[in-house]
Amino acid sequence: MSTILQINNLETVLHTPAGPVWAVDGITLEISKGETFVLIGESGCGKSMTALSVMRLLPEVGEIVGGSVRLGGVDLLLQPEIAMRTIRGKRISMIFQEPMLSLNPVMTVAAQIGEVLKRHFNLGAAATQKRILEILNQVGIPDAARRMEEYPFQFSGGMKQRMMIAMALAGEPELLIADEPTTALDVTIQAQVLDLLRTLQQRDGMAILLITHDLGVAAEMAHKVAVMYAGEIVETANRAQFFQNPVHPYSRKLFASLPGKARRRQDLPLAVIRGNVPPLSSEFTGCRFAKRCDQAWGLCHDAAPGWVEVSAGHKVRCHLFSESAKLEAPAGWLKKGATDAPQESSTKSRLLSPNHLIHEACLLSVSALKVYFPIRKGLMKRVAGYVKAVDGVSLAIYRGKTLALVGESGCGKTTVGKGILQLIPPSAGSVQYKGIELVRLERDRLRKMRAEFQLIFQDPYSSLNPRMRIVDIIEEGMNALAAGQKEDVGIAGDGPAMAEMTKAARVDALLESVGLPPEAKWRYPHEFSGGQRQRIAIARALAVNPKLIICDEPTSALDVSVQAQILNLLKNLQNRLGLAYLFITHNISVVEYVADEVAVMYLGRIVERGSVDDILENARHPYTQALLSAVPVVEPESRRHVMPLHGDLPSPANPPRGCHFHPRCPHVMQVCRESYPGISIFNSTHTTRCYLYPQDASASGEAQAEVQAQA
């Protein structure tokens, strides 16, 4: 295959007031026609800056100071800007990481795609409109003829991401750079996006540089893989070599950080890579991973490793594989291996109470919960209908247990969480916390109970006050809810010394517990990455010693290493303090590790529930089966059969008659179109709502309450 992109010793520096930051420090790679090259690594390693360097779209403080970037033999670094404008969008395109920030909010979809076509193709108005319509249909935008004249704010997150893909593909590029194209997407939409990229690649021979931290996506898409750490590439291999035998200690740690049911069943914590990616402004003398590596010895700190070929096409930058370096290693050191056991800090052990006696008692009981939003029209703003965001949900959460709530974006998961906490007034139903009815509870009494239950918001960007320092953000809840008093026994511990911890000490301990240095408390939210902001949001929730935490996608923006740290922290707190979690997520591997029970939600209603093993190993509802089939797997030999879901989630303002899922269901029958199914019971914990199974007329208790609520 012919080489499309050749990068040789690329060096990119950011000139900051604090000094130069070497974001890309001498990387070399090649991508051939029709090949997908996957670049993986933690946030802050330089992956996105590599992509921006190739596109020559660096920020004002950025400068490429060395190396070459050849596209089809043409060195892009030597081209004037006017020539680059003819190359961008035509020969090389990029799907940017954040569609919310990359789309022009005051331009229609058609206008934004039309800009690309106008620059690179000599098309008339009619031909341009026809081509825009073809592209939108190609990326799966429903009702494209109508929606092409709408604005970005009228689209969901998944639709925005498809718009970004459509814009990138409009110029029919030779090389597509995809920077986290599936981040925060539902697994169903993710499967569609990946299948689209594969189809276009096979049809047009397009090369893809895919940047991701999702090892499952990498296993599905990659022909070649490169692992990037602290500005440089430390391991390269083809897909089979890498996923069968990762050799660099950093690569192994990434795999060991992955959650799953095996570790849950063995009650094992996830492997944690201690520390953080070093600042790229640092002066490196040895291996850049040495301070975080379990196998490092003196040489690793003193000399930078060179490239070693462990097998044909599989290269690594590590002293462990250098024959000359092996002679200098301490006896038995090379047999030590990378441990999977996380290293808990003394701070973390201080934060956790030694209370291991957790009594299983119902902490939260939700019955027939409804949250409707009125649709007002006309001059008098009369109610013309309702958006039925939550339509009769019943669930129970027990002390020391985790209930995972899964489903596509727009199904009402977040609204359930906010309705439980009374952040959104429920339209009907009951929410009882420790036997106390929260619905329509007096404001003063509700405020006094706020410390008992907290919410980790989905979006760390908008949930933190940009004008407040981190110390003030965390202390705000402590002050308002009088957290940290001697009678509290939460995160501060049970001993007198812990009860008397100063507020400043508690803030420092909280930040360390979520993997941030104490000095971070003096900074503002805009100075942190998305993953770091999520860690701050978690620390804020833990600050008031809650008994119930509603976690709304708390790990969606995190690297697998940071995700492992957060999941270990949440599990540890749960085991020691008896915390209960409502865990809202679309990450099935996280569900496998943290959940005791799972509820699957579709269009405001729960369609299947059961223990985590019931749902993941014996799913009965077609929607649940489709969700699970769309989850990418890490094993490259494993080829899953994806059950395609046609169309999008229907509008909760006008839900389909009968079973809400029937317009997308591959097993739809006439009865599905006529009435909503009752409950089918498989065992004491596993139920579903589907006409494929016998309806249980004897359903009682909670099941009957749900039937009545949804009638």
Side-chain angles (χ1 to χ4, degrees):
M1 293 185 292
S2 60
T3 300
I4 293 294
L5 181 71
Q6 185 176 30
I7 301 175
N8 185 44
N9 201 30
L10 178 65
E11 296 180 338
T12 300
V13 63
L14 304 177
H15 302 286
T16 69
V21 175
W22 293 89
V24 182
D25 196 5
I27 73 166
T28 298
L29 59 88
E30 289 186 2
I31 306 176
S32 301
K33 183 178 180 179
E35 182 178 75
T36 297
F37 191 103
V38 176
L39 197 59
I40 63 176
E42 294 173 281
S43 297
C45 286
K47 305 187 300 297
S48 294
M49 201 56 64
T50 299
L52 293 175
S53 298
V54 173
M55 296 289 291
R56 283 181 54 186
L57 291 174
L58 293 170
E60 291 185 2
V61 297
E63 180 186 6
I64 299 174
V65 296
S68 63
V69 179
R70 298 185 179 276
L71 182 67
V74 178
D75 193 344
L76 300 182
L77 305 185
L78 301 179
Q79 303 302 307
E81 177 59 26
I82 191 170
M84 285 300 302
R85 292 175 183 174
T86 64
I87 294 173
R88 296 192 200 102
K90 176 61 178 172
R91 298 190 63 191
I92 179 171
S93 289
M94 183 169 177
I95 303 171
F96 293 92
Q97 184 171 0
E98 181 50 72
M100 302 283 286
L101 303 177
S102 302
L103 296 169
N104 192 324
V106 298
M107 293 178 65
T108 65
V109 174
Q112 296 190 58
I113 299 176
E115 281 190 326
V116 180
L117 299 176
K118 183 178 180 180
R119 174 169 289 277
H120 300 293
F121 301 94
N122 187 22
L123 300 177
T128 298
Q129 291 297 304
K130 182 181 178 182
R131 178 57 181 154
I132 292 171
L133 187 59
E134 289 175 353
I135 296 169
L136 291 177
N137 283 321
Q138 194 177 53
V139 299
I141 300 291
D143 196 10
R146 176 181 63 84
R147 305 210 68 180
M148 63 190 290
E149 299 302 329
E150 294 182 347
Y151 293 86
F153 74 87
Q154 295 174 280
F155 290 77
S156 67
M159 290 294 105
K160 288 188 179 75
Q161 192 65 285
R162 292 191 228 186
M163 285 171 55
M164 290 294 304
I165 296 172
M167 292 174 62
L169 297 176
E172 302 174 357
E174 303 170 38
L175 171 67
L176 175 67
I177 300 176
D179 190 2
E180 299 282 3
T182 62
T183 296
L185 293 184
D186 300 313
V187 289
T188 53
I189 302 299
Q190 176 180 266
Q192 294 175 27
V193 168
L194 297 181
D195 184 64
L196 171 65
L197 293 179
R198 278 193 298 264
T199 300
L200 295 175
Q201 184 178 57
Q202 294 168 3
R203 188 191 71 185
D204 303 329
M206 178 177 65
I208 299 175
L209 173 59
L210 176 62
I211 297 170
T212 184
H213 64 258
D214 190 324
L215 292 174
V217 170
E220 280 217 351
M221 295 294 294
H223 295 99
K224 294 180 181 177
V225 179
V227 182
M228 196 166 183
Y229 185 81
E232 65 179 19
I233 292 175
V234 297
E235 184 173 358
T236 62
N238 64 45
R239 177 178 63 183
Q241 290 171 330
F242 181 73
F243 285 95
Q244 290 172 4
N245 183 35
V247 294
H248 197 282
Y250 178 58
S251 304
R252 293 179 183 178
K253 276 292 191 179
L254 290 178
F255 278 92
S257 300
L258 293 174
K261 60 184 176 183
R263 286 189 171 272
R264 172 178 56 82
R265 289 173 174 174
Q266 300 172 29
D267 198 24
L268 293 174
L270 301 174
V272 172
I273 308 176
R274 63 174 182 264
N276 300 290
V277 178
L280 299 184
S281 57
S282 306
E283 293 277 345
F284 297 105
T285 55
C287 174
R288 302 185 179 190
F289 187 61
K291 290 184 179 180
R292 306 174 72 192
C293 183
D294 298 325
Q295 297 175 270
W297 75 93
L299 180 64
C300 301
H301 298 278
D302 298 333
W307 283 104
V308 179
E309 190 166 29
V310 294
S311 63
H314 191 174
K315 298 191 296 181
V316 64
R317 185 177 287 182
C318 180
H319 288 307
L320 292 173
F321 302 90
S322 170
E323 292 298 328
S324 59
K326 287 180 182 179
L327 301 175
E328 303 179 29
W333 197 253
L334 301 182
K335 298 180 181 180
K336 180 179 177 182
T339 177
D340 287 352
Q343 305 295 317
E344 291 196 6
S345 67
S346 58
T347 303
K348 195 176 291 185
S349 63
R350 280 178 23 229
L351 287 172
L352 301 175
S353 163
N355 178 23
H356 298 279
L357 281 177
I358 298 173
H359 302 285
E360 189 170 313
C362 187
L363 191 67
L364 181 78
S365 177
V366 179
S367 179
L369 181 68
K370 295 184 178 182
V371 181
Y372 291 180
F373 299 102
I375 302 172
R376 301 184 183 275
K377 294 183 178 180
L379 184 63
M380 305 300 293
K381 300 295 182 181
R382 293 178 177 172
V383 177
Y386 292 92
V387 175
K388 299 178 180 178
V390 179
D391 195 16
V393 166
S394 298
L395 53 87
I397 303 176
Y398 295 87
R399 186 173 182 237
K401 299 293 184 181
T402 299
L403 172 65
L405 191 60
V406 302
E408 293 174 285
S409 297
C411 71
K413 305 187 301 295
T414 297
T415 307
V416 168
K418 291 182 177 180
I420 290 172
L421 299 181
Q422 308 302 296
L423 298 177
I424 297 175
S427 305
S430 170
V431 178
Q432 293 189 2
Y433 177 78
K434 292 182 177 178
I436 301 173
E437 180 60 60
L438 299 183
V439 178
R440 290 176 290 278
L441 185 68
E442 295 87 347
R443 186 172 180 178
D444 290 342
R445 289 191 63 193
L446 182 61
R447 179 179 177 84
K448 291 178 180 178
M449 297 179 63
R450 286 286 187 201
E452 298 272 327
F453 36 82
Q454 287 290 297
L455 173 64
I456 300 172
F457 292 92
Q458 182 174 2
D459 186 0
Y461 288 87
S462 59
S463 64
L464 301 176
N465 192 326
R467 299 187 177 185
M468 294 175 66
R469 296 176 301 175
I470 303 309
V471 62
D472 300 319
I473 290 173
I474 295 176
E475 286 185 355
E476 185 180 30
M478 295 181 185
N479 296 332
L481 303 174
Q485 305 301 319
K486 291 187 178 182
E487 63 268 18
D488 292 333
V489 295
I491 194 167
D494 291 330
M498 297 301 102
E500 293 176 3
M501 284 180 69
T502 66
K503 198 175 294 181
R506 286 172 57 81
V507 171
D508 292 349
L510 281 162
L511 289 174
E512 289 186 10
S513 75
V514 297
L516 293 173
E519 55 268 22
K521 67 183 178 182
W522 304 115
R523 295 158 61 186
Y524 291 88
H526 74 269
E527 299 179 75
F528 296 88
S529 67
Q532 290 171 325
R533 294 188 201 191
Q534 191 65 286
R535 286 187 255 180
I536 294 166
I538 293 171
R540 177 179 60 181
L542 294 172
V544 296
N545 304 327
K547 303 299 183 294
L548 168 69
I549 300 179
I550 295 178
C551 308
D552 191 1
E553 300 280 7
T555 62
S556 63
L558 303 183
D559 302 309
V560 291
S561 56
V562 179
Q563 174 181 270
Q565 186 178 6
I566 296 300
L567 294 180
N568 282 344
L569 174 65
L570 294 175
K571 290 275 286 186
N572 217 338
L573 288 168
Q574 182 177 62
N575 292 336
R576 293 176 181 261
L577 305 175
L579 296 181
Y581 300 128
L582 176 61
F583 209 97
I584 299 170
T585 184
H586 63 260
N587 191 326
I588 301 301
S589 62
V590 170
V591 172
E592 286 182 320
Y593 181 68
V594 304
D596 298 291
E597 297 178 276
V598 180
V600 183
M601 197 167 178
Y602 187 82
L603 205 64
R605 299 180 177 181
I606 292 176
V607 298
E608 187 168 6
R609 70 174 67 182
S611 70
V612 62
D613 291 330
D614 286 334
I615 301 300
L616 299 182
E617 297 178 4
N618 192 27
R620 298 300 187 94
H621 199 282
Y623 179 60
T624 310
Q625 294 170 351
L627 286 180
L628 296 178
S629 75
V631 178
V633 293
V634 174
E635 295 79 12
E637 297 84 7
S638 200
R639 286 290 176 261
R640 58 190 175 126
H641 172 66
V642 178
M643 296 174 55
L645 289 180
H646 302 289
D648 294 306
L649 198 73
S651 171
N654 186 29
R657 184 184 176 189
C659 175
H660 291 171
F661 185 62
H662 86 256
R664 307 171 72 189
C665 182
H667 308 292
V668 62
M669 302 176 288
Q670 183 58 36
V671 66
C672 305
R673 300 182 175 94
E674 296 172 350
S675 62
Y676 199 82
I679 290 181
S680 300
I681 301 177
F682 305 107
N683 56 49
S684 60
T685 60
H686 192 184
T687 64
T688 191
R689 287 181 166 274
C690 183
Y691 283 117
L692 292 175
Y693 312 100
Q695 308 293 288
D696 196 307
S698 63
S700 60
E702 182 183 335
Q704 282 289 2
E706 192 175 351
V707 171
Q708 294 171 7
Q710 297 182 352

